[in-house]
Amino acid sequence: MAKLSIEQLEKSFDGQHILENLSFKVDEGEFVSILGPSGSGKSTLFHLIGGLYTPDAGNIILDGKTINGKKGSISYMPQSHALLPWRTILENVMLGGEIAGKKDTKRAQEMIEKAGLTGYEHAYPSQLSGGMKQRVSFIRSLLSPQHLICLDEPFSALDEFTRLEMQHWLLSIWEKHKRSILFVTHNIEEALYLSDRIIILSNKPASVQKEIILPFSRPRQEDIMLTEQFLQYKRDIYRALKFMN
């Protein structure tokens, strides 16, 4: 499992300050969600953690090692499934392991079965529904050797019913494997349902506006979203975000 520390991160583009003195942590096996106004720098943060950008100041520390500007330290799942259309489902989920020289066909087939995709191992992405493609994408993230998974609004393109189904499935898989997850979303309910902790970012330049430790026990059931405690958290977060806009 992985432990991530973001320490006083700063980043600007063309004179525009995007991140300012941004600091937070993700503990081993923790599910942390990031909420913030549109354009607050959430994607920039992921690009920094993934090594695509180098911070102007501050450090990104993963398992005690500074990874500023270093690629390949995390497993990343973008908004779109990003599956390779010429590779079968089995070949797609094994991609990260192949790159790292740790190909494990047996485990890949087991994960495909757990995802309810038995019989689709040799199908191609074009033959799958949107929800099925996202399952494949997440399995690929789990099978990659990196211990920290960054999920960038992975369910935003799905319809509401499929989105709820995918949230429930994600939790059921994550609770078995307990990988450290940093999850970006614009959906307050989604963040509350999935997370151990929520970090709310301010408008640009983004810094941590508020941090919420959630009291909901695991495993989570969908009916938790109808409880007064859940709804109160939702109201409080909505007001915090509305105040920033």
Side-chain angles (χ1 to χ4, degrees):
M1 290 186 283
K3 186 171 183 177
L4 175 73
S5 292
I6 302 296
E7 298 182 350
Q8 299 177 316
L9 217 58
E10 308 258 347
K11 187 64 181 176
S12 297
F13 292 105
D14 300 323
Q16 186 177 22
H17 212 174
I18 308 298
L19 305 179
E20 181 177 60
N21 196 30
L22 181 65
S23 299
F24 65 87
K25 293 183 178 181
V26 179
D27 289 327
E28 291 184 359
E30 190 177 25
F31 198 124
V32 176
S33 287
I34 294 179
L35 287 168
S38 295
S40 61
K42 298 184 292 295
S43 292
T44 297
L45 172 63
F46 268 18
H47 290 152
L48 286 164
I49 296 170
L52 298 178
Y53 302 152
T54 301
D56 300 333
N59 288 305
I60 304 162
I61 300 171
L62 184 63
D63 294 333
K65 297 179 181 179
T66 301
I67 59 168
N68 294 12
K70 293 183 180 179
K71 299 182 182 71
S73 300
I74 66 165
S75 179
Y76 176 67
M77 182 176 169
Q79 292 181 30
S80 62
H81 55 80
L83 301 177
L84 300 178
W86 59 88
R87 291 178 68 107
T88 65
I89 300 312
L90 181 60
E91 290 168 343
N92 264 290
V93 301
M94 293 197 300
L95 182 60
E98 280 182 30
I99 293 170
K102 298 180 179 178
K103 188 174 177 179
D104 190 340
T105 304
K106 182 181 178 181
R107 186 161 180 244
Q109 289 174 327
E110 288 173 354
M111 291 298 293
I112 287 172
E113 182 180 347
K114 288 177 183 176
L117 295 171
T118 300
Y120 289 93
E121 296 90 337
H122 304 296
Y124 290 90
S126 62
Q127 298 172 274
L128 272 59
S129 68
M132 292 165 77
K133 290 173 186 174
Q134 291 302 86
R135 290 188 186 204
V136 174
S137 185
F138 185 64
I139 292 169
R140 182 176 59 190
S141 298
L142 280 175
L143 290 173
S144 294
Q146 300 88 350
H147 293 144
L148 174 67
I149 302 176
C150 289
L151 306 179
D152 189 0
E153 296 193 77
F155 309 141
S156 60
L158 303 177
D159 64 78
E160 190 65 20
F161 179 79
T162 306
R163 184 177 188 137
L164 287 169
E165 183 183 81
M166 285 299 301
Q167 290 168 2
H168 184 70
W169 177 82
L170 172 60
L171 279 185
S172 69
I173 295 294
W174 173 77
E175 284 167 356
K176 292 176 183 175
H177 296 271
K178 284 290 184 178
R179 299 282 283 277
S180 304
I181 288 183
L182 186 60
F183 186 94
V184 163
T185 180
H186 280 98
N187 190 297
I188 298 172
E189 281 192 356
E190 183 169 72
L192 286 167
Y193 178 53
L194 296 175
S195 311
D196 296 309
R197 191 157 44 92
I198 295 174
I199 294 167
I200 300 176
L201 298 185
S202 67
N203 271 315
K204 285 189 294 190
S207 59
V208 176
Q209 182 81 8
K210 191 173 185 179
E211 195 168 313
I212 301 169
I213 300 172
L214 297 173
F216 310 126
S217 61
R218 295 191 186 275
R220 303 253 169 100
Q221 302 298 325
E222 289 178 21
D223 57 7
I224 195 175
M225 290 188 256
L226 301 175
T227 65
E228 180 55 37
Q229 187 179 31
F230 187 98
L231 294 172
Q232 186 59 52
Y233 273 105
K234 182 179 177 181
R235 286 191 287 267
D236 291 344
I237 293 171
Y238 174 78
R239 291 190 192 105
L241 290 170
K242 186 179 180 181
F243 180 75
M244 285 187 276
N245 289 323

